[in-house]
């Protein structure tokens, strides 16, 4: 069975600085998808960024980028130029190609942004 | 924009009560999911559905059942609520189109307290 681990329950960053959130996963599959979701306080969960395992190039969405290391089974999220609105719970998630839309989530990392 | 709504933001029930959590999506999505979110555990899949009247167990189905009579609506049922079912419940939906780009869209969540 696949598992996703986020070893940082809480992280803090100064506004305008860069922060990296860690995620590791375990799978025997070669093709899958990885996601980072953001859950702001009292607001709905939204997708931040996705990565397809067969793509070597790291995904980027504006200030958000990932460092995808397939051999190490690592999928970290880098947030550049952090803003107050980035404060949220961040979840890493895995989806198998063969198991439909099921997502397996990590434990979450709560990010606070200091002004 | 995709909209996923849940019938209640907060709910307080007594032990032994039958509880219905309703989820509605307005984007004609085939797939719908119910998760529960607990601190330190992330999100765990309870049940999901790929089509009307179809359901599959997730990772923690015990104590829960679901119903999907219409494509847009997915209900989670707690037949006899217990205190260990106190949690945040999140509904999500996704489309089968362009499967590799599938994104799950989440509702705002229902925070259930069982006394």
């Amino acid at each position: 069975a696949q598992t996703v681990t986020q070893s940082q329950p809480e992280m803090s960053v100064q506004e305008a600085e860069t922060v990296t959130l860690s995620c590791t996963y375990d799978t025997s599959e070669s093709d899958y998808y990885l996601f980072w979701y953001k859950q702001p306080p009292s607001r709905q969960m939204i997708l931040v960024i996705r990565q397809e395992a067969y793509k070597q190039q790291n995904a980027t969405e504006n200030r958000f980028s990932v460092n995808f290391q397939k051999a190490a089974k690592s999928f970290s999220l880098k947030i550049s130029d952090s803003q107050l609105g980035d404060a949220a719970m961040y979840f890493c998630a895995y989806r198998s190609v063969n198991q439909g839309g099921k997502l397996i989530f990590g434990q979450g990392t709560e990010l606070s942004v200091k002004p | 924009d995709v909209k996923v709504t849940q019938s209640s933001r907060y709910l307080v029930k007594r032990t032994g009560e039958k509880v219905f959590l309703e989820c509605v999506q307005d984007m004609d999505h085939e797939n719908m999911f119910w998760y529960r979110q607990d601190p330190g555990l992330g999100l765990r899949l309870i049940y999901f559905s790929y089509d009307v009247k179809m359901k599959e167990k997730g990772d923690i189905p015990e104590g829960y059942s679901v119903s999907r009579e219409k494509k847009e609506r997915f209900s989670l049922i707690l037949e006899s609520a217990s205190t260990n079912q106190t949690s945040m419940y999140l509904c999500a939906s996704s489309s089968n189109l362009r499967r590799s780009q599938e994104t799950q869209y989440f509702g705002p969540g229902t925070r259930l307290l069982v006394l």
Side-chain angles (χ1 to χ4, degrees):
Chain A
Q2 297 88 6
T3 59
V4 177
T5 301
Q6 293 177 249
S7 59
Q8 306 156 315
E10 297 175 349
M11 290 283 284
S12 180
V13 63
Q14 205 73 32
E15 197 175 4
E17 298 290 306
T18 295
V19 64
T20 298
L21 308 184
S22 301
C23 173
T24 58
Y25 58 95
D26 189 26
T27 184
S28 58
E29 298 176 327
S30 59
D31 199 10
Y32 47 85
Y33 307 99
L34 295 164
F35 305 85
W36 278 98
Y37 278 86
K38 170 186 178 181
Q39 186 181 42
S42 302
R43 293 180 61 189
Q44 285 173 249
M45 183 110 66
I46 57 172
L47 179 68
V48 175
I49 198 164
R50 68 166 68 82
Q51 174 81 41
E52 289 132 323
Y54 66 86
K55 290 186 177 178
Q56 291 186 336
Q57 187 173 5
N58 289 324
T60 299
E61 289 285 344
N62 300 315
R63 298 182 295 106
F64 298 87
S65 61
V66 299
N67 184 4
F68 173 47
Q69 302 288 328
K70 191 173 184 179
K73 296 179 183 174
S74 170
F75 182 61
S76 61
L77 174 70
K78 186 171 84 171
I79 306 173
S80 304
D81 185 26
S82 296
Q83 301 175 0
L84 295 178
D86 294 333
M89 183 73 84
Y90 286 83
F91 291 97
C92 178
Y94 171 101
R95 180 168 79 78
S96 168
V97 170
N98 299 318
Q99 294 182 17
K102 290 173 57 176
L103 288 175
I104 298 169
F105 284 87
Q107 299 88 337
T109 297
E110 186 163 9
L111 177 68
S112 59
V113 181
K114 297 178 181 177
Chain B
D1 276 352
V2 175
K3 195 167 184 181
V4 181
T5 57
Q6 295 183 227
S7 51
S8 304
R9 290 300 300 270
Y10 302 94
L11 212 50
V12 180
K13 295 292 181 181
R14 296 280 179 190
T15 301
E17 278 193 77
K18 190 168 186 176
V19 182
F20 292 87
L21 303 182
E22 303 285 335
C23 175
V24 177
Q25 50 93 5
D26 66 358
M27 281 301 291
D28 201 36
H29 283 172
E30 294 83 6
N31 309 317
M32 295 189 75
F33 308 84
W34 275 107
Y35 297 90
R36 67 175 279 175
Q37 180 180 358
D38 299 289
L41 296 177
L43 279 74
R44 293 177 292 166
L45 182 64
I46 304 172
Y47 267 97
F48 60 104
S49 169
Y50 289 138
D51 203 348
V52 176
K53 296 191 185 296
M54 295 185 68
K55 60 185 179 184
E56 289 200 33
K57 293 180 180 179
D59 299 318
I60 51 165
E62 296 79 18
Y64 304 94
S65 62
V66 290
S67 172
R68 193 165 180 201
E69 296 296 319
K70 294 185 178 182
K71 191 175 185 179
E72 68 271 17
R73 189 179 297 269
F74 192 35
S75 302
L76 180 69
I77 303 155
L78 288 65
E79 295 289 342
S80 178
S82 63
T83 55
N84 63 13
Q85 292 179 310
T86 291
S87 186
M88 169 74 91
Y89 290 88
L90 294 174
C91 175
S93 72
S94 68
S95 170
N96 281 335
L97 296 178
R98 296 189 66 204
R99 202 169 180 85
S100 64
Q101 296 297 315
E102 179 187 311
T103 296
Q104 287 194 17
Y105 297 88
F106 285 82
T110 295
R111 192 169 292 280
L112 173 67
L113 173 62
V114 182
L115 300 174

